[in-house]
Amino acid sequence: MNFFALDVILYLVKKMKYKSQNSDIVIECENFDMMATLDCGQAFRWTINEDGSAEGIAFGKYLKLVSDGDSVILKNTSEGDFLSVWYHYFDFDRDYAKIINEVSDNKVIAEAVSFAKGIRVLRQDPWETLCSFIISQNNNIPRIKGIILRLCETFGEKIDGGYTFPSAEQIAKLEVEDLAPLRCGFRARYIIDAARKVASREVDFDNIRALDTNGARAELMKICGVGEKVADCTLLFGFSRVEALPKDVWIKRVIEKLFDGQFPKEAEQYAGIVQQYLFQYARLTKLEIGD
DNA sequence: CGCCAGGCTTCTA
DNA sequence: TAGAAGCATGGC
């Protein structure tokens, strides 16, 4: 693919370039593995098709993506949507090569990076992220996806390609019993509590953005059903706090076995991104770190 | 059938 | 303040 021909070529920052082609946006980006990014457990509304393409909905917009060699094609989207939604969503305004270089002084991390360097930490909608990770607790990925799909189908807005994620305000009006169609079990009352506290601004997202990581975590943990792990996932994937380190069972084992109980200081600033690399590494290599 | 899922709340000492 | 039980549901 020639990026230097007749097309207007726009160089944006950080080793990423794109061009409009018909109704598609073609992206070349060094650290962007579409499949790994959309299917590594950070987002639950993307499906990978048999032919390797992916589709899903975020920020009220449907998108289909196709991987093509070194580039990724965003199908049937406009430059306007790309710049206002997807550019931000895929975190293209961040220099992953630089971050990887910095954290790879640590050999364990460098090894993990070699397995997972194309994963990007998505910038998702904070409410959707909070709600999704409340649902994720003590649950498995296929069922998490199913519950979220039913949540959108039941209470979201119909658009081309599917349904939007219902707002906190919409869910706040409901009662726990109204969520029965989701079959989300004990999590129903957590979802309602979260929606009400977010909609009423008892838990205020603008405030959270202004707080430091510990303060922001404490705010989110005012919600019943939100502990440290869900709070940190929300901060990382919903508020782009790349220093937030969600400690799930896998990462706890990695820290114990490979880091002697202490997450490397030199990587703390990017702990959330590194965590994604480590998680992928542990899963892909089926790392024998149980017990 | 029993076990487990990228936890959290509640109960108990 | 720590540790363990209980939690809804569904896949295996």
Side-chain angles (χ1 to χ4, degrees), chain A residues 250-264:
Chain A
W250 285 87
I251 295 305
K252 282 179 183 168
R253 287 178 202 155
V254 168
I255 292 173
E256 278 310 309
K257 295 276 176 177
L258 302 182
F259 295 130
D260 218 23
Q262 173 70 46
F263 191 86

Side-chain angles (χ1 to χ4, degrees), chain A residues 196-230:
Chain A
R196 290 182 181 167
K197 283 175 178 158
V198 169
S200 70
R201 298 212 166 197
E202 184 178 339
V203 172
D204 188 315
F205 285 168
D206 291 330
N207 184 30
I208 285 171
R209 271 183 265 272
L211 290 167
D212 64 23
T213 308
N214 288 331
R217 183 188 299 113
E219 274 302 294
L220 290 168
M221 287 174 66
K222 286 189 196 166
I223 297 162
C224 186
V226 176
E228 280 193 24
K229 198 276 183 172
V230 170

